[in-house]
Amino acid sequence: MFKVNENYLKLPGSYLFSTVGKKQRAYQEAHPDKKVIRLSIGDVTQPLVPAIIEALHKAVDEMGHAETFRGYAPDLGYEFLRNAIADNDYKARGCQISADEIFVSDGAKCDSGNIQEIFGLDNRIAVCDPVYPVYVDTNVMAGRTGTYDPVRETWSDVIYMPCTADNNFAPELPKETPDIIYLCFPNNPTGSTITKAQLQEWVDYANKTGAVIIYDAAYEAYISEADVPHSIYECEGARTCAIELRSFSKNAGFTGVRLGFTVIPKELKSGDVSLHSLWARRHGTKYNGAPYIVQRAGEAVYSPEGKAQLKEQVAYYMKNAAYILNGLKEAGYTVSGGVNAPYIWLKAPNGMTSWEFFDHMLENANVVGTPGSGFGPSGETYFRLTAFGSYENTVEAVNRIKAL
Amino acid sequence: MFKVNENYLKLPGSYLFSTVGKKQRAYQEAHPDKKVIRLSIGDVTQPLVPAIIEALHKAVDEMGHAETFRGYAPDLGYEFLRNAIADNDYKARGCQISADEIFVSDGAKCDSGNIQEIFGLDNRIAVCDPVYPVYVDTNVMAGRTGTYDPVRETWSDVIYMPCTADNNFAPELPKETPDIIYLCFPNNPTGSTITKAQLQEWVDYANKTGAVIIYDAAYEAYISEADVPHSIYECEGARTCAIELRSFSKNAGFTGVRLGFTVIPKELKSGDVSLHSLWARRHGTKYNGAPYIVQRAGEAVYSPEGKAQLKEQVAYYMKNAAYILNGLKEAGYTVSGGVNAPYIWLKAPNGMTSWEFFDHMLENANVVGTPGSGFGPSGETYFRLTAFGSYENTVEAVNRIKAL
């Protein structure tokens, strides 16, 4: 008689964004006359830029002719894309990352969920609190998190690193020593960042304690301040302790195109065992590459035209971020983020919980955000708004909130 | 100090097709004047058909305009594709599968590797021997297979079901009762099939013993004989015991496009727990959907033009299969497969092992095939040739083999 993976049954409720979506749809069905504005899920709204559209059409044409048709992609991704990434995202910033340390994938969500597989079940994980829920949820599914406390909404074997107004949303080194440390900067959901000097402390700590850092830099394109690192490999010693995850979803609008990559330096080892070789084995055995046409679209992100067009696209969203940030400040809210990230982090007023404020916003302003408590216990009483709407909708949403 | 997943270290050597590729490249580098013909990896060579190219261009254009741009796809896949699958692959064959039992993915390799995750580690798996190595390898990675015997090349906790000339390459019900049964028909690598009556026996057996069947039907488009089932849901009772995996790689040439799907009927349960809900949770947490443009390409597979064009494409490859099958028979080889599948299964002559015959073919005919032993111990002394080459190359390869 077959047995299911009982770890799945420990997961409380459904995935955060599914619940948000359900509540929104229920409200919309009950009030078909209302225009609900979604500033909740981190999905982009601007179309792909012309350089990318052109690259896609060209690659599609290649697939239609025997001489230029491409079947299975190389295990780690096409060299043209891995070279473009190595040159632009790493060498140009002085980071020593070579093309064969880059693994192209269909997105950072898959990578951030799958990366835990190459580690044993007896590792203790540490996460920022609040943070993107996929890190913890996928460790729950693997059986690495102990038991769930439904009151505190925490797992017994997870080390939570609170990121609150008290520490300016930057985690402190944990008291218990973790084996695997998930860091996400610019942070989802708080929109906060840490400086290069602060990140260097984490790298030093990981090297000293033998921990591995899984560094999720999905939002690096939104960094505007000079002392904020774009890659963990800007720090000395990161090659022996850090894996970096990157996405094309937010810098190039690929949420529906699907492309990302993971960097594992060859020096990153446990004894003799290189994590690079384990991840290569996983890629070779369980994955079959990102589509050729999508990898060509990724290449176009790094072309001169692509770069110029995407700079404008990011600026468009950051104009939204500034509008939200300033508008809510004017309305008397306590807000942060929105400077190096497309997320604005908002304190719910009058002692409201995150979900109470969610309902309040949905019902009274017809604006959908994401309850901060969905990202971890320290997210309670907070609320996330995203800058990924259209400018018109963003302005309308902020004005409605101000009018409340 | 972080610890790696030690199960990965148990895997012997590298993934089969990587080794084949390395040997081929080494030979080619040493003999740059020789034209090596690859009839090894199951990669297609014919370009995408016009109906699919057209759908791709149209979808790319949609992604370039704000009104038609698509971000994150629905968790299970777009309804337009799931409806087309349900109607054409299931309802048209009298199978009761609804669109919301279909999970669209980026390919059957990922699905066949990931599906084991929703089961506990204490399940005993059974596999056809020989078979596609991903089933066993991904269970090794999860820690479900016990210890490896390097002499017999078997795992202590895996039930092997020999498929040999003695049983016409159709597995017999195992003596030990398994919890999870992987069946792949038309079979990779033997190219053999079983009849609907034979498959019904497996469904009855699984329902009786409480086992789950993971049915990989990636090659169903190549079935030419009437009594061979295209889906396990043609059998009575399959909805309570079977998961089906499907691919667009071989019926539509999507090896470099990446699209597949998994079917989990809602009645398939362990106690109260539905496997459909577990897989939905995995999709929602660890996956972010197949690209919109690729899902539109998948939809075009089911259009009248797409169907007609793909029928021709499959016929092209099956003409190759017939050429290989007949040519090798004429040359005195013992061969099977190639009638309902794009694979021809060949017995190495003169007591040669699979790898000896691989080297013999590479060196003397400059033809690359896949050693049967790479698919399981009962594949030893066998050799797989695929029909996915161009017709010209296939003819040349067969003529070279005949001339040996």
Side-chain angles (χ1 to χ4, degrees):
Chain A
M1 178 79 203
F2 74 86
K3 279 83 66 181
V4 302
N5 178 350
E6 304 247 330
N7 296 311
Y8 272 61
L9 310 181
K10 296 180 192 168
L11 281 167
S14 70
Y15 186 61
L16 171 65
F17 297 108
S18 310
T19 311
V20 168
K22 270 178 206 158
K23 280 203 167 220
Q24 177 210 328
R25 284 190 297 274
Y27 180 85
Q28 187 74 79
E29 278 165 28
H31 306 85
D33 55 314
K34 303 282 190 187
K35 182 190 166 194
V36 173
I37 299 179
R38 288 176 75 193
L39 300 180
S40 48
I41 197 165
D43 200 358
V44 298
T45 50
Q46 291 298 295
L48 298 182
V49 299
I52 291 168
I53 292 293
E54 198 182 316
L56 283 166
H57 278 307
K58 186 160 169 271
V60 168
D61 281 334
E62 289 180 64
M63 295 294 281
H65 297 95
E67 315 79 58
T68 48
F69 174 80
R70 310 276 188 130
Y72 291 121
D75 274 3
L76 271 64
Y78 281 103
E79 280 200 11
F80 61 75
L81 177 56
R82 291 190 289 128
N83 286 333
I85 293 168
D87 289 347
N88 290 278
D89 285 322
Y90 296 103
K91 291 199 183 95
R93 293 196 182 279
C95 304
Q96 299 302 313
I97 294 295
S98 63
D100 64 355
E101 295 175 318
I102 294 164
F103 296 78
V104 173
S105 76
D106 64 333
K109 184 177 179 186
C110 300
D111 284 353
S112 62
N114 292 332
I115 194 72
Q116 46 78 30
E117 273 187 45
I118 63 171
F119 297 99
L121 292 180
D122 52 345
N123 287 286
R124 192 83 183 265
I125 70 161
V127 293
C128 293
D129 167 27
V131 84
Y132 185 46
V134 167
Y135 314 142
V136 170
D137 285 358
T138 56
N139 277 286
V140 173
M141 289 165 156
R144 214 177 268 112
T145 55
T147 54
Y148 186 66
D149 178 339
V151 177
R152 299 180 57 203
E153 297 190 341
T154 55
W155 295 89
S156 61
D157 289 355
V158 173
I159 299 169
Y160 292 88
M161 305 185 292
C163 301
T164 62
D166 291 341
N167 55 19
N168 204 22
F169 305 104
E172 288 149 38
L173 296 179
K175 284 174 197 127
E176 283 178 277
T177 310
D179 304 302
I180 301 172
I181 302 165
Y182 287 85
L183 293 179
C184 172
F185 291 108
N187 183 266
N188 176 7
T190 69
S192 62
T193 49
I194 58 177
T195 63
K196 189 173 159 183
Q198 285 176 301
L199 184 56
Q200 185 66 56
E201 283 180 40
W202 282 98
V203 169
D204 295 341
Y205 172 78
N207 276 322
K208 198 177 110 195
T209 59
V212 63
I213 296 173
I214 299 174
Y215 193 73
D216 184 346
Y219 298 94
E220 70 82 24
Y222 293 85
I223 293 170
S224 66
E225 295 181 321
D227 61 344
V228 176
H230 289 249
S231 163
I232 195 166
Y233 303 113
E234 293 179 37
C235 295
E236 254 181 77
R239 285 184 59 85
T240 52
C241 70
I243 293 172
E244 184 162 289
L245 312 178
R246 289 281 192 106
S247 167
F248 288 82
S249 287
K250 309 304 161 74
N251 64 330
F254 276 27
T255 54
V257 177
R258 311 306 314 141
L259 194 66
F261 61 92
T262 289
V263 179
I264 307 190
K266 292 196 173 168
E267 284 98 311
L268 182 45
K269 289 184 180 180
S270 168
D272 285 344
V273 181
S274 117
L275 293 186
H276 184 282
S277 70
L278 296 190
W279 190 241
R281 184 72 201 229
R282 192 196 180 279
H283 253 251
T285 304
K286 291 194 179 182
Y287 185 58
N288 235 338
Y292 172 70
I293 52 179
V294 170
Q295 295 197 47
R296 282 291 183 201
E299 183 188 35
V301 168
Y302 299 101
S303 71
E305 302 74 29
K307 280 181 187 172
Q309 293 162 4
L310 290 171
K311 200 173 161 187
E312 273 183 51
Q313 193 172 76
V314 166
Y316 177 95
Y317 291 131
M318 287 312 280
K319 188 176 155 198
N320 292 349
Y323 195 90
I324 300 173
L325 193 67
N326 297 328
L328 295 180
K329 271 185 192 164
E330 283 166 30
Y333 287 98
T334 303
V335 282
S336 56
V339 174
N340 296 301
Y343 293 130
I344 288 87
W345 193 236
L346 167 66
K347 177 83 177 169
N350 309 323
M352 271 191 267
T353 67
S354 295
W355 278 108
E356 281 167 359
F357 190 69
F358 174 92
D359 291 334
H360 172 70
M361 280 286 129
L362 178 58
E363 285 161 22
N364 299 302
N366 304 147
V367 171
V368 184
T370 309
S373 56
F375 297 96
S378 296
E380 182 59 283
T381 74
Y382 282 93
F383 197 65
R384 188 190 78 172
L385 292 171
T386 89
F388 289 126
S390 70
Y391 182 69
E392 295 70 28
N393 278 346
T394 302
V395 168
E396 188 177 338
V398 170
N399 292 347
R400 284 190 203 162
I401 296 173
K402 286 168 85 170
L404 280 185
Chain B
M1 179 77 204
F2 74 85
K3 279 82 66 181
V4 301
N5 178 349
E6 304 248 329
N7 296 311
Y8 271 61
L9 311 181
K10 298 181 192 167
L11 281 167
S14 70
Y15 186 60
L16 172 65
F17 296 109
S18 310
T19 312
V20 168
K22 271 178 207 159
K23 281 203 167 220
Q24 177 210 328
R25 284 189 298 274
Y27 180 86
Q28 186 73 79
E29 278 166 28
H31 305 85
D33 56 312
K34 303 282 190 186
K35 181 190 167 194
V36 174
I37 299 178
R38 289 175 75 195
L39 300 181
S40 47
I41 198 164
D43 200 358
V44 297
T45 51
Q46 290 298 296
L48 299 181
V49 299
I52 291 168
I53 293 292
E54 197 181 316
L56 282 165
H57 278 306
K58 186 161 170 267
V60 167
D61 282 334
E62 289 181 64
M63 295 295 281
H65 297 95
E67 317 79 59
T68 48
F69 173 80
R70 308 278 187 129
Y72 291 121
D75 275 2
L76 273 64
Y78 280 103
E79 278 199 14
F80 61 75
L81 177 57
R82 292 190 288 128
N83 286 334
I85 293 168
D87 288 347
N88 289 279
D89 285 322
Y90 295 103
K91 289 199 185 95
R93 292 196 183 280
C95 304
Q96 299 302 312
I97 294 295
S98 63
D100 64 355
E101 294 174 319
I102 293 163
F103 296 78
V104 173
S105 77
D106 64 334
K109 184 178 179 187
C110 300
D111 283 353
S112 62
N114 292 331
I115 193 74
Q116 48 78 29
E117 272 187 46
I118 63 171
F119 296 100
L121 293 180
D122 53 344
N123 287 286
R124 193 82 183 263
I125 70 160
V127 292
C128 293
D129 168 27
V131 84
Y132 185 47
V134 168
Y135 314 143
V136 170
D137 285 358
T138 55
N139 277 287
V140 173
M141 290 166 155
R144 213 176 270 112
T145 55
T147 54
Y148 186 64
D149 178 339
V151 177
R152 300 179 57 201
E153 299 191 337
T154 53
W155 295 89
S156 61
D157 288 356
V158 173
I159 299 169
Y160 293 88
M161 305 185 292
C163 301
T164 63
D166 291 343
N167 58 19
N168 204 21
F169 303 103
E172 287 149 37
L173 296 178
K175 284 174 195 129
E176 283 177 276
T177 309
D179 304 303
I180 301 172
I181 302 164
Y182 287 87
L183 294 178
C184 172
F185 290 107
N187 184 265
N188 176 6
T190 68
S192 62
T193 49
I194 57 177
T195 62
K196 188 172 160 184
Q198 286 176 299
L199 184 56
Q200 184 67 55
E201 283 179 41
W202 282 97
V203 169
D204 295 342
Y205 173 78
N207 276 322
K208 199 178 108 195
T209 60
V212 63
I213 295 173
I214 298 174
Y215 193 74
D216 184 347
Y219 298 94
E220 70 82 24
Y222 293 85
I223 293 169
S224 67
E225 295 181 322
D227 61 346
V228 176
H230 289 249
S231 164
I232 195 167
Y233 304 112
E234 292 179 37
C235 295
E236 254 183 77
R239 286 185 57 86
T240 52
C241 70
I243 292 171
E244 184 162 288
L245 312 178
R246 290 280 192 106
S247 167
F248 288 82
S249 288
K250 310 304 161 76
N251 64 329
F254 276 26
T255 54
V257 178
R258 312 306 313 143
L259 194 67
F261 61 91
T262 289
V263 180
I264 307 190
K266 294 195 172 168
E267 284 98 310
L268 183 45
K269 290 184 180 180
S270 167
D272 284 345
V273 181
S274 117
L275 293 185
H276 184 282
S277 71
L278 296 190
W279 191 241
R281 184 70 200 231
R282 191 196 180 280
H283 253 250
T285 305
K286 291 196 181 181
Y287 185 59
N288 235 338
Y292 171 70
I293 54 179
V294 170
Q295 294 197 47
R296 281 290 183 202
E299 183 189 36
V301 168
Y302 299 100
S303 71
E305 302 74 26
K307 280 183 188 172
Q309 293 162 3
L310 290 170
K311 201 174 160 186
E312 273 183 50
Q313 192 172 78
V314 167
Y316 176 95
Y317 291 130
M318 288 311 281
K319 189 176 153 198
N320 291 349
Y323 196 89
I324 301 172
L325 193 68
N326 297 329
L328 295 179
K329 271 185 193 164
E330 282 167 29
Y333 288 98
T334 303
V335 282
S336 56
V339 174
N340 296 302
Y343 293 129
I344 289 87
W345 193 235
L346 167 65
K347 176 84 177 169
N350 310 322
M352 271 190 266
T353 67
S354 295
W355 279 108
E356 282 166 359
F357 190 69
F358 174 90
D359 291 333
H360 172 71
M361 280 286 130
L362 178 58
E363 285 160 24
N364 299 302
N366 304 145
V367 171
V368 184
T370 309
S373 56
F375 298 96
S378 297
E380 183 57 284
T381 74
Y382 282 92
F383 197 66
R384 189 192 78 172
L385 292 171
T386 88
F388 289 127
S390 69
Y391 182 69
E392 296 69 27
N393 278 345
T394 303
V395 168
E396 188 177 338
V398 170
N399 292 346
R400 285 190 205 161
I401 296 172
K402 285 168 83 170
L404 281 184

